[in-house]
Amino acid sequence: MNNLQRGWAACLLLAGHLLLAQEPLTRSSRAASPSVIQPEAWRIVELANQARAEAGAGALKWDPALADAARKHCLRMTAEGSISHRYRGEPDPAERAAQAGAHFNLVEENVALGPDPATIHQQWMHSPGHRVNLLNPDVDRIGVAVVAGRHGLYAVADYARNVPVLSQAQVEARVAGMVHDSGVAVDHDAKDAREACATDDGVPGSRPGSRSRFVMRWQSSELNQLPDELTETLASGEFRRAQVASCPAQGQRGSFTAYRLAVLLY
């Protein structure tokens, strides 16, 4: 599961007086439109996407779940007075994002205290760790919260690489399609593949002629390509049919999203 990663987390304290403050985004204001997103938070998103465009990175899309996680932590920072990525008794950024309903395989966070969104953005851009997070081409979602405190604006920006939420049938259909495109027929009956998916070893299939000659199990959040070993085996021309099955991920690390699969070849 080397594709499951945790990105940088960076803190920055900016001195300055309060210039602008509004209430943080409420749970009812979730649409990705500047008319319903907290103005200071949306300005940080705009500045981030301008910088990413200049750097050749894709634009970040607003993620309501990340924004909820950022808001909860931002309120905690305001109450504490100091800035941090984690306080006593609080989950880490990845756990907070997952609890809010985000699905991802990479998550990063910037936090700051400053006078206004433009200053916060510029300081992030001039701090190596913050800049890496903000310009990371591997992230594609963002959620931002800004809360006014006695010392200025507390800001949290959570960045993530989104993982689509798919049903078991959708996962199996996607993988089966890639197997079929390789020239190998896919069985409608996936009984043996389901058995294989639920175990870590062994070759299932007790019925006469049902025992497969190749088993591949893997876990990943990326479903746009098959593992190299499986691709090479399918291309060998030694196999004529396959079974494909998906099952709950096993030993999943932290709060990252992944799918577990098994492919049997006959």
Side-chain angles (χ1 to χ4, degrees):
M1 295 187 290
N2 56 5
N3 63 310
L4 304 183
Q5 309 170 50
R6 178 168 303 177
W8 283 82
C11 302
L12 188 64
L13 176 62
L14 309 177
H17 60 282
L18 178 62
L19 297 182
L20 181 64
Q22 293 191 9
E23 286 300 309
L25 180 68
T26 64
R27 288 184 179 273
S28 62
S29 302
R30 291 191 166 202
S33 165
S35 63
V36 294
I37 293 174
Q38 183 189 12
E40 296 88 346
W42 188 251
R43 184 56 182 156
I44 287 176
V45 175
E46 290 180 323
L47 292 169
N49 279 333
Q50 289 173 14
R52 288 174 65 87
E54 294 172 0
L60 299 172
K61 296 181 180 179
W62 181 264
D63 188 300
L66 289 178
D68 281 352
R71 177 180 180 273
K72 184 174 293 185
H73 183 62
C74 205
L75 290 170
R76 180 68 181 270
M77 286 202 308
T78 306
E80 295 284 346
S82 60
I83 62 173
S84 174
H85 289 283
R86 191 176 187 181
Y87 300 98
R88 184 184 298 274
E90 184 184 36
D92 66 22
E95 291 176 294
R96 295 197 300 266
Q99 289 174 1
H103 296 269
F104 51 87
N105 60 11
L106 184 153
V107 64
E108 306 171 331
E109 181 175 84
N110 284 352
V111 300
L113 169 61
D116 58 81
T119 302
I120 289 172
H121 171 76
Q122 286 303 316
Q123 293 296 329
W124 281 347
M125 287 294 292
H126 288 91
S127 172
H130 297 83
R131 184 184 178 90
V132 167
N133 288 349
L134 197 154
L135 298 181
N136 188 348
D138 290 331
V139 298
D140 55 17
R141 297 291 189 275
I142 186 172
V144 179
V146 179
V147 177
R150 290 183 300 171
H151 306 294
L153 296 180
Y154 289 82
V156 176
D158 285 339
Y159 314 89
R161 181 167 61 205
N162 182 64
V163 174
V165 181
L166 302 175
S167 67
Q168 181 185 42
Q170 289 173 320
V171 172
E172 292 175 350
R174 183 171 295 190
V175 174
M178 290 186 285
V179 171
H180 182 269
D181 288 344
S182 72
V184 175
V186 179
D187 292 353
H188 293 295
D189 180 3
K191 178 181 181 298
D192 292 339
R194 296 193 190 286
E195 182 182 336
C197 193
T199 61
D200 289 326
D201 51 33
V203 181
S206 57
R207 293 166 294 171
S210 68
R211 191 173 183 82
S212 66
R213 294 188 291 121
F214 179 91
V215 180
M216 168 67 73
R217 302 173 179 87
W218 77 98
Q219 214 159 275
S220 176
S221 60
E222 305 288 349
L223 297 177
N224 56 348
Q225 63 181 26
L226 300 173
D228 290 343
E229 182 182 356
L230 179 56
T231 299
E232 294 171 2
T233 303
L234 288 167
S236 70
E238 297 179 19
F239 302 94
R240 294 291 178 267
R241 43 183 281 265
Q243 285 190 20
V244 175
S246 175
C247 59
Q250 297 181 6
Q252 182 58 30
R253 181 166 64 89
S255 303
F256 297 89
T257 299
Y259 300 105
R260 181 175 173 84
L261 290 126
V263 172
L264 277 56
L265 299 181
Y266 303 87

